[in-house]
Amino acid sequence: MAVSGIEGALTCAHDPLEMTSSDVVMAHFRRLLTVDPERAARNGLKVYTALGIHPRAIPSDPERVIEKLPDLLKNPSVVAVGEVGLDSGSDIEKDVFKSQLKVADELDYPVIVHTPRREKADVTPQIMDVIDGTIDESMVVVEHVNMEVLPELVETECMLGTDCAT
């Protein structure tokens, strides 16, 4: 990337492992905050980070991660909360999503929101319901937007990210 003239990139917390506990999530965050930026810097690239519990990676004890999130966001490389959101629209996903949106709102951080690969048209309105009244839409980037949900999202104040896979 640096060879092509790119000076910086953003990496988001995601679902690379089965997140069985908060310890696994925190190990993932540590890698994003230490290993990846160091490796990128050796190659002339500045890496910024977004941290949050991905909806496909909710541990059995998400409250432990959410409790630590405000301190983690103080890391100078962290510029957003994410990738957070809903995948199936379950109650636990909604609770974890809303808790993270509240942290982002309180600390004035932008949020990168995941929309699911499947059932996107059914779950995206639920995502917007959680966002509504929790955080200012202008602080939200909704990711993986495709033509199926674009009409619903285009009138919001959210920034929209494309779904390159479709």
Side-chain angles (χ1 to χ4, degrees):
M1 292 171 72
V3 170
S4 298
I6 296 171
E7 297 176 1
L10 174 68
T11 186
C12 297
H14 53 290
D15 60 331
L17 305 165
E18 186 176 349
M19 302 293 188
T20 53
S21 74
S22 60
D23 292 335
V24 178
V25 175
M26 295 303 293
H28 174 53
F29 288 0
R30 278 191 298 279
R31 178 184 171 95
L32 291 173
L33 293 172
T34 58
V35 175
D36 293 349
E38 289 171 9
R39 190 176 74 192
R42 285 193 306 269
N43 292 288
L45 187 66
K46 171 74 175 157
V47 171
Y48 301 92
T49 309
L51 294 180
I53 301 172
H54 192 285
R56 288 194 315 251
I58 297 174
S60 59
D61 52 351
E63 62 283 345
R64 288 188 62 215
V65 176
I66 294 166
E67 178 181 290
K68 294 177 181 178
L69 195 55
D71 285 335
L72 291 166
L73 295 175
K74 293 177 185 172
N75 184 298
S77 72
V78 178
V79 297
V81 172
E83 185 169 311
V84 300
L86 303 179
D87 200 67
S88 68
S90 70
D91 288 341
I92 186 68
E93 285 181 2
K94 289 177 185 175
D95 291 344
V96 170
F97 181 35
K98 189 167 193 167
S99 294
Q100 293 178 100
L101 289 178
K102 286 179 179 178
V103 170
D105 186 55
E106 289 169 8
L107 299 175
D108 201 31
Y109 273 78
V111 181
I112 301 168
V113 175
H114 166 85
T115 60
R117 294 178 185 144
R118 296 180 184 94
E119 309 298 330
K120 192 179 292 278
D122 293 331
V123 176
T124 300
Q126 296 175 55
I127 290 169
M128 295 311 298
D129 286 345
V130 175
I131 289 170
D132 187 37
T134 306
I135 192 168
D136 185 329
E137 287 182 354
S138 69
M139 296 294 286
V140 175
V141 177
V142 179
E143 275 292 0
H144 318 302
V145 173
N146 64 15
M147 294 305 291
E148 183 179 19
V149 295
L150 181 62
E152 176 180 342
L153 296 172
V154 75
E155 295 299 323
T156 70
E157 297 208 18
C158 298
M159 294 167 272
L160 306 180
T162 187
D163 186 349
C164 297
T166 58

